[in-house]
Amino acid sequence: MPLVRRPWRLAAEASALVIAVVVAFPLYWMVLSAFKPAGEVQSTRPRPWTLSPSLDSFRRVFQQQEFGRYFLNSLLVAGTVVIVSALVAFLAATAVTRFRFRFRTTLLIMFLVAQMVPIEALTIPLFFQMRDLGLLNTLGSLILPHLAFSLPFAIWMLRGFVKAVPDALEEAAYIDGASRTRFLWQILFPLVFPGLVATSVFSFISTWNDFLFAKSFIISDTSQSTLPMALLVFFKPDENDWGGIMAGSTVMTVPVLVFFVLVQRRLVSGLGGAVKD
Amino acid sequence: MTSPTDHAPRPRSPKRPETALPATGGKAPRPGPRGGTRGGPRRAGQGGWTPWLYLAPALVVLGGLLVYPIYQLGLISFLEYTQAQVSGGQPTTFQGFGNYATLFGDSQFWQVLLATVLFAAACVVTTLGLGCALAVLLTRVRALPRLALMLAALGAWATPAITGSTVFVFLFDPDYGPVNRILGLGDFSWTYGRYSAFTLVLLEVVWCSFPFVMVTVYAGIKAIPGEVLEAASLDGASQWRTWRSVTAPMLRPILVVVTIQSIIWDFKVFTQIYVMTNGGGIAGQNLVLNVYAYQKAFASSQYSLGSAIGVVMLLILLAVTLVYLRLLRRRGEEL
């Protein structure tokens, strides 16, 4: 890029900062409202700060609802999906990138097409399927469908990472007498790990976000419910409990933010120096 | 910084003669030089069943939980399937295209379809415009403003759809929300009118999806080698000319990816509409196909009609995906 003249650059930087503030504002407001004392949240003259932060809303959320249990349930569902789909996707991505076989392209196209399936549209048949499997009202009814929905994207994304590992490395491993399995788990897996972590973010977010399946498959046993369902309880027909909703939303958003930040560092470690010439 | 569709840094291999998709479905192994091509060591007749072994778990999961439910969805859409059949009291009957005839004869279906297309189009255009503009802006500022904008965008990106929706409803609340006070709108209710409610949802959708576009396009701009731009300016190309003849063509593949992804996402928005407009708005004024299908099935137990709507959605998205595949093929991208 050629150097822009100074006033231009200052204008650009000022607008970047203003936009950053606007974009961050909803999150700021969410956290702020979660910490405001009861009388301040629902005021018709909301202030962009609070002088007496309190944990009232958080306390209410954790006492009124079994929020801790829901949180664990959400974590259990998302965690299982992330780990299982990462392993399964790693194997599948290896198969379609490092081997040539019949129907390979057909499979790849299927993985691509599978990403566009609106999961909401499948709620109806999945509901009957989960009923027949006896999984309704269990976390399994949330884990299984999300596993299937995370896989195609995970495979598609991991492809690039597996491809980036040079063939020379594989050849060398075989020459040194490594078996195929050993190459897979001891050489390829660690090299692709940053890619697995990046992929996990998306499986995690899409599963953590789920509220439709929780709403449709967990009908009578609320002990198996997840966070979003707990959140919706605070919406009341007469008067919403905004403090509770914002505190619950904060609790639900923070783990994802933390996950994102952690993964950012992981990604940098890329594939540099995989092969020493 | 990696973006969801970033196919990871991979070595640019020399273009091979058979990079386009083979029409035969990729018959292996192809004769030809094996000089350091991608795809690993492969000799004819070796490891013939190994890839299938690796693929087995994925195929089992996808077959059982994706392909089979899609088949079931299609099946239910041709049957009579209401509460009576679900509880097992009545045998179901085959309806042929009866459910589709009912659906296409219903003017509400066409209204919802049109609303879905227009709403998705508005979301896609706004998201792409904002995402690309900010990506260009990022290349023109120093590290500190860039970091601020990146962090804010990452925060929006990481926010779950449901919490993003609740926060936006609160921000725009007629009584307690700060937005109306800042804009001086008094107690204007955003969710009361059809278009203002759609606008509110659009703002949330754009807020949580522009970061993906911004980060991906920014990474794409950054990946353009400096020498190329330098050469262009040495040859006396204007900034505009450089953009048109060098930058834009190099970014095209990335733009195709973000556009298609956005179309697919925005066409099947569910949570935001459901939460922000309370299940589809006053008298269903804010329904989109996805929510409409859900309401038909689970609110009024018309499982067949809900499934038929689901099939229509699937077919539309399939068409979009096929366009995407054609674009990929034209580029000669090797799958």
Side-chain angles (χ1 to χ4, degrees):
Chain A
M1 291 284 156
L3 255 181
V4 193
R5 284 194 307 281
R6 187 153 296 245
W8 269 109
R9 190 160 88 172
L10 283 178
E13 295 191 334
S15 47
L17 286 173
V18 169
I19 292 165
V21 168
V22 171
V23 169
F25 186 73
L27 284 176
Y28 170 73
W29 199 259
M30 173 181 81
V31 176
L32 171 78
S33 308
F35 282 102
K36 275 182 177 174
E40 246 182 81
V41 183
Q42 267 150 259
S43 118
T44 46
R45 293 169 157 272
R47 274 189 313 222
W49 64 82
T50 179
L51 299 172
S52 46
S54 88
L55 292 171
D56 284 354
S57 294
F58 288 98
R59 259 188 226 111
R60 204 168 51 253
V61 164
F62 278 95
Q63 278 163 7
Q64 226 181 64
Q65 296 285 311
E66 289 182 273
F67 219 76
R69 155 163 264 168
Y70 295 153
F71 191 88
L72 271 179
N73 284 346
S74 275
L75 212 54
L76 210 69
V77 172
T80 311
V81 169
V82 161
I83 292 167
V84 178
S85 75
L87 290 175
V88 173
F90 167 65
L91 285 172
T94 306
V96 294
T97 44
R98 305 193 81 84
F99 291 91
R100 297 277 143 168
F101 52 93
R102 212 175 155 173
F103 304 123
R104 193 185 73 97
T105 316
T106 319
L107 271 178
L108 274 172
I109 290 176
M110 271 182 52
F111 292 146
L112 184 71
V113 171
Q115 286 175 46
M116 64 86 200
V117 174
I119 62 177
E120 296 82 6
L122 294 184
T123 312
I124 303 165
L126 279 169
F127 175 81
F128 299 126
Q129 211 179 339
M130 292 303 141
R131 187 191 60 184
D132 298 343
L133 289 170
L135 288 175
L136 284 186
N137 292 317
T138 67
L139 294 183
S141 67
L142 308 180
I143 292 171
L144 285 178
H146 276 291
L147 192 58
F149 291 118
S150 322
L151 264 184
F153 183 71
I155 295 171
W156 198 254
M157 192 168 159
L158 274 175
R159 257 175 73 239
F161 287 91
V162 178
K163 239 185 206 169
V165 175
D167 293 353
L169 208 65
E170 194 167 350
E171 312 252 6
Y174 296 152
I175 287 166
D176 290 344
S179 65
R180 210 171 228 149
T181 316
R182 198 162 157 197
F183 167 77
L184 186 74
W185 294 113
Q186 301 206 333
I187 300 170
L188 194 57
F189 187 76
L191 282 175
V192 177
F193 195 75
L196 283 166
V197 174
T199 312
S200 305
V201 177
F202 297 97
S203 323
F204 184 85
I205 288 183
S206 69
T207 311
W208 188 255
N209 268 338
D210 165 76
F211 108 100
L212 180 60
F213 290 167
K215 197 173 152 56
S216 315
F217 303 158
I218 311 285
I219 327 161
S220 51
D221 184 0
T222 47
S223 75
Q224 301 297 298
S225 224
T226 49
L227 279 179
M229 300 320 295
L231 206 57
L232 293 182
V233 170
F234 291 95
F235 282 95
K236 300 187 176 78
D238 43 344
E239 181 77 64
N240 295 334
D241 173 2
W242 284 113
I245 295 169
M246 291 302 120
S249 296
T250 305
V251 171
M252 208 181 147
T253 307
V254 166
V256 192
L257 286 174
V258 169
F259 197 33
F260 240 78
V261 170
L262 286 178
V263 164
Q264 280 311 312
R265 287 208 202 110
R266 256 274 180 273
L267 287 173
V268 181
S269 62
L271 288 154
V275 180
K276 292 193 175 67
D277 291 273
Chain B
M1 266 316 324
T2 308
S3 53
T5 44
D6 194 13
H7 299 306
R10 60 162 183 254
R12 277 251 164 274
S13 70
K15 213 165 153 58
R16 293 187 307 175
E18 74 282 73
T19 43
L21 283 179
T24 53
K27 282 202 175 45
R30 286 194 290 264
R34 268 205 51 235
T37 51
R38 295 191 303 232
R42 41 187 189 273
R43 293 172 200 85
Q46 269 217 357
W49 52 271
T50 312
W52 292 105
L53 190 71
Y54 289 178
L55 279 164
L59 294 181
V60 167
V61 171
L62 290 174
L65 293 157
L66 200 72
V67 178
Y68 180 72
I70 290 174
Y71 158 77
Q72 283 280 321
L73 182 82
L75 188 66
I76 295 173
S77 74
F78 287 111
L79 300 174
E80 186 195 358
Y81 221 76
T82 55
Q83 201 50 49
Q85 282 81 15
V86 173
S87 46
Q90 276 188 29
T92 180
T93 51
F94 185 69
Q95 296 282 307
F97 284 95
N99 294 318
Y100 291 92
T102 313
L103 190 65
F104 297 154
D106 182 355
S107 66
Q108 194 191 12
F109 166 76
W110 296 105
Q111 278 168 21
V112 173
L113 178 64
L114 183 67
T116 309
V117 171
L118 292 178
F119 173 72
C123 286
V124 169
V125 170
T126 318
T127 306
L128 287 177
L130 187 68
C132 293
L134 292 184
V136 173
L137 181 67
L138 280 179
T139 61
R140 301 292 175 95
V141 298
R142 275 172 298 197
L144 193 68
R146 189 164 62 227
L147 185 70
L149 186 49
M150 275 281 191
L151 280 178
L154 277 179
W157 189 356
T159 304
I162 185 154
T163 58
S165 302
T166 55
V167 173
F168 266 69
V169 169
F170 186 44
L171 283 170
F172 288 76
D173 190 87
D175 299 320
Y176 314 121
V179 173
N180 276 9
R181 281 188 63 77
I182 293 170
L183 299 178
L185 288 173
D187 60 352
F188 173 74
S189 168
W190 287 80
T191 49
Y192 184 73
R194 187 180 186 203
Y195 296 105
S196 60
F198 267 132
T199 306
L200 175 59
V201 180
L202 177 134
L203 288 174
E204 202 282 340
V205 169
V206 169
W207 177 75
C208 70
S209 51
F210 90 85
F212 159 68
V213 176
M214 180 184 89
V215 169
T216 311
V217 173
Y218 175 68
I221 295 176
K222 280 292 199 220
I224 294 172
E227 303 92 70
V228 181
L229 299 172
E230 216 171 303
S233 72
L234 281 178
D235 289 344
S238 64
Q239 264 200 48
W240 165 242
R241 183 64 206 268
T242 308
W243 164 258
R244 217 190 43 158
S245 311
V246 180
T247 318
M250 286 182 119
L251 283 182
R252 189 166 299 138
I254 283 188
L255 290 177
V256 166
V257 169
V258 294
T259 307
I260 297 285
Q261 284 279 8
S262 301
I263 292 173
I264 290 175
W265 277 344
D266 295 345
F267 191 80
K268 52 181 196 186
V269 161
F270 180 93
T271 306
Q272 283 92 341
I273 292 273
Y274 195 91
V275 174
M276 296 170 87
T277 68
N278 207 350
I282 297 161
Q285 61 176 7
N286 297 113
L287 281 173
V288 290
L289 278 180
N290 223 343
V291 182
Y292 185 52
Y294 181 80
Q295 299 287 32
K296 273 266 186 273
F298 288 93
S300 41
S301 295
Q302 294 173 300
Y303 297 100
S304 323
L305 282 182
S307 299
I309 300 165
V311 170
V312 171
M313 273 194 78
L314 270 176
L315 290 175
I316 293 174
L317 286 165
L318 188 66
V320 173
T321 314
L322 289 177
V323 171
Y324 178 43
L325 276 170
R326 281 198 64 137
L327 288 170
L328 279 182
R329 258 173 93 154
R330 255 223 313 261
R331 281 174 39 208
E333 154 114 355
E334 202 219 17
L335 282 176

